[in-house]
Amino acid sequence: MYKTDQRTVVTLDAGGTNFVFSAMRGYDFIIDPITYPSNAHDLDLCLSTMIKGFTEVIEKLEEKPVAISFAFPGPADYKAGIIGGYLPNFPCFREGVALGPLLKAKFGLPVFINNDGDLFAYGEAKGGALPEINRRIKELGGTRQYTNMLGYTFGTGLGIGSVINGSLNLGNNSCVETFCLRNKRYPEIIAEEGSSIRAIKREYGILSGNENHGLEPYDIYKIAEGEKEGDRDAAIKAFELFGEVTGDAFATAVTLTDSLIVVGGGLTGAMKYIKPALLKEMRSTLKTMTNEDVNRVQLRVFDLDDELEFAKFVVGDPHPIKVYGTEETAVYDPMKRTGLIVSKLGASKAISIGAYIYALDMLDNN
C-alpha cells in the first residue's frame, strides 16, 4: 500500500538528543536527512529548532508536500496534536504543548503526530515484517495469513505499537502501553526498568561490581563478544536479564492481542544474548491452585528468524478428523501459534514508513 505513491510527506525522527528531518515518497527518503540537537530542556529553543528543520526540508523539495507526519516519544493526545505528560526525554513538554496546531498554522499543511512505537508497528505491519512473513508463508505452501502485529522498540525505553486486523490500534486514549507492567524480577518496579538501555548499564554494574563503569550498551556488547576488556560473564548476564523481563512483558501483550511480534531499536544488535532468555520466558509455564502446569502464553512461540522454526510455524499440525455421522473428513490444525522476528528495516525507517502511510491513510479516508 502506497509503496509507489508519488505524494511527498515531510517526516521527523524525534529523539531526546537529536531531531532528524527528512521527506518520503513511496517508502523511500528523497532528500538527505537534516539533523539538529533537539534541545529538549528548553521549550522555546526546541520549537524553534523544529520549525527551522521543517522549513529547510520543505525548501529543498521540488513539489509541495501533502502533509507533515512524525513520531513523538511518550504519551500525548495525539489526535489533537497535543504533547504532554510523563516525557522523560522531553521534560519541557510535560505541561502540554499544542504542537500539531502550531505546525499546521506555521506551514499550512495537515499535521499528524503519533507515538513512535505505534508508527514502528504500523510501518512493519504495512511495509516490513508482516507482509514479508505472509509472503514467505505462501512460498512455503502455507495457507494462514496474519493480520495482528505488536511492534516493540528496544532503547531508552520499551516502546510498543499494536496493529489489529491490519489497522493501527490507538485505543481510546492513544495509550496502549506495556512499559508500566510489573517487572518480573522486581514486582514493585515497572518493566521498563528491566527493559531499557539503563537496565543493561545498571545490571552490568551490579554484576561486575563496578557500578560507576561509564559504559554504554554497545561497549557491554563488545565485552560479551570478547572484543573489549571487561567482565564477560556479567555482560552476557546483563543482556539475559533484559530478555527475561522483556519476555514476561511480551507474554502478557501477546496473550491479550494474539499477535506476532517484531522488535527493533539499537539493542537488537545484541539479540543473540537477549533472545534465548526472552523466548524461554514466553515459553514458560505457570501453576493452577491444584499444581497443574499452564503455558504462560496460550500459543506456541516461534523464533521467526530461524529458518527451521519458521518452517514449523508455517506447517503447524494439520490432520484429518472425521465429520460426525458421515464418512467425510475435515482438516484440523489445533496448533495456535505466534512468532518473534527482528526488524530488517530498522526502527527509524519503519517509523518513517509508518508515518508516511498513516498520513496518506488519513488524507484518503477522512
Side-chain angles (χ1 to χ4, degrees):
M1 182 196 308
Y2 298 126
K3 190 170 185 178
T4 59
D5 201 286
Q6 292 303 297
R7 288 172 288 182
T8 300
V9 173
V10 177
T11 65
L12 165 64
D13 183 355
T17 302
N18 290 313
F19 285 152
V20 183
F21 303 88
S22 192
M24 181 167 277
R25 185 187 302 131
Y27 291 175
D28 295 316
F29 294 113
I30 58 173
I31 66 168
D32 292 333
I34 297 170
T35 302
Y36 287 113
S38 54
N39 298 301
H41 62 287
D42 184 316
L43 182 60
D44 290 338
L45 188 55
C46 183
L47 293 177
S48 64
T49 300
M50 194 174 291
I51 290 169
K52 178 182 178 182
F54 282 133
T55 298
E56 290 187 18
V57 169
I58 291 170
E59 288 175 348
K60 286 178 176 288
L61 299 174
E62 296 178 357
E63 69 291 313
K64 183 178 179 179
V66 296
I68 293 171
S69 184
F70 62 97
F72 211 87
D77 182 352
Y78 287 110
K79 290 181 180 179
I82 298 174
I83 309 299
Y86 178 64
L87 293 159
N89 296 332
F90 284 89
C92 64
F93 281 77
R94 287 189 179 185
E95 298 305 314
V97 177
L99 182 58
L102 168 68
L103 296 174
K104 182 178 180 181
K106 176 66 179 177
F107 295 104
L109 294 170
V111 177
F112 305 105
I113 308 173
N114 283 284
N115 178 270
D116 51 356
D118 290 333
L119 291 183
F120 171 70
Y122 202 43
E124 290 288 354
K126 294 295 187 180
L130 189 58
E132 177 66 11
I133 289 167
N134 284 330
R135 181 191 65 79
R136 290 176 63 197
I137 289 171
K138 285 184 177 180
E139 286 183 352
L140 291 173
T143 57
R144 287 195 181 188
Q145 294 286 277
Y146 292 83
T147 60
N148 292 1
M149 173 159 274
L150 294 173
Y152 272 98
T153 53
F154 292 169
T156 304
L158 183 63
I160 183 178
S162 173
V163 173
I164 303 296
N165 294 327
S167 297
L168 185 59
N169 174 26
L170 295 175
N172 291 324
N173 300 280
S174 296
C175 195
V176 177
E177 297 287 358
T178 54
F179 80 93
C180 49
L181 293 176
R182 286 186 183 273
N183 184 314
K184 183 201 171 187
R185 299 182 62 236
Y186 307 103
E188 299 303 315
I189 304 296
I190 62 171
E192 188 172 273
E193 293 295 343
S195 302
S196 56
I197 286 173
R198 62 186 179 275
I200 299 293
K201 294 163 70 172
R202 183 189 66 246
E203 295 299 335
Y204 177 77
I206 292 170
L207 292 163
S208 66
N210 178 15
E211 297 187 38
N212 297 315
H213 55 75
L215 300 171
E216 295 299 322
Y218 183 70
D219 301 310
I220 297 169
Y221 170 73
K222 287 294 187 181
I223 293 169
E225 291 283 273
E227 298 175 3
K228 185 179 178 70
E229 187 176 346
D231 188 330
R232 186 164 186 257
D233 290 340
I236 292 171
K237 186 65 175 179
F239 288 114
E240 288 177 351
L241 292 175
F242 177 102
E244 179 183 350
V245 174
T246 305
D248 183 67
F250 280 15
T252 298
V254 167
T255 297
L256 294 174
T257 62
D258 190 2
S259 301
L260 303 178
I261 296 179
V262 59
V263 296
L267 290 177
T268 57
M271 282 299 280
K272 65 186 288 186
Y273 299 113
I274 293 170
K275 189 186 287 184
L278 193 158
L279 291 174
K280 180 181 178 181
E281 189 62 34
M282 293 186 73
R283 293 165 175 167
S284 65
T285 59
L286 298 173
K287 296 286 188 182
T288 68
M289 293 295 285
T290 55
N291 207 38
E292 294 177 275
D293 285 332
V294 177
N295 288 333
R296 176 75 172 83
V297 175
Q298 292 294 296
L299 307 159
R300 185 166 171 183
V301 181
F302 289 89
D303 178 358
L304 299 183
D305 292 309
D306 182 284
E307 292 296 327
L308 182 58
E309 287 208 27
F310 192 94
K312 291 178 181 177
F313 168 79
V314 172
V315 173
D317 183 27
H319 56 270
I321 60 171
K322 190 173 181 180
V323 178
Y324 183 77
T326 75
E327 295 302 316
E328 302 294 323
T329 60
V331 176
Y332 173 50
D333 185 353
M335 185 190 290
K336 299 176 177 65
R337 48 205 188 265
T338 186
L340 173 79
I341 193 167
V342 176
S343 171
K344 306 302 185 294
L345 292 173
S348 183
K349 181 70 178 289
I351 289 168
S352 296
I353 290 174
Y356 181 80
I357 294 172
Y358 183 85
L360 297 187
D361 274 347
M362 295 299 290
L363 293 173
D364 291 347
N365 297 311
N366 292 276

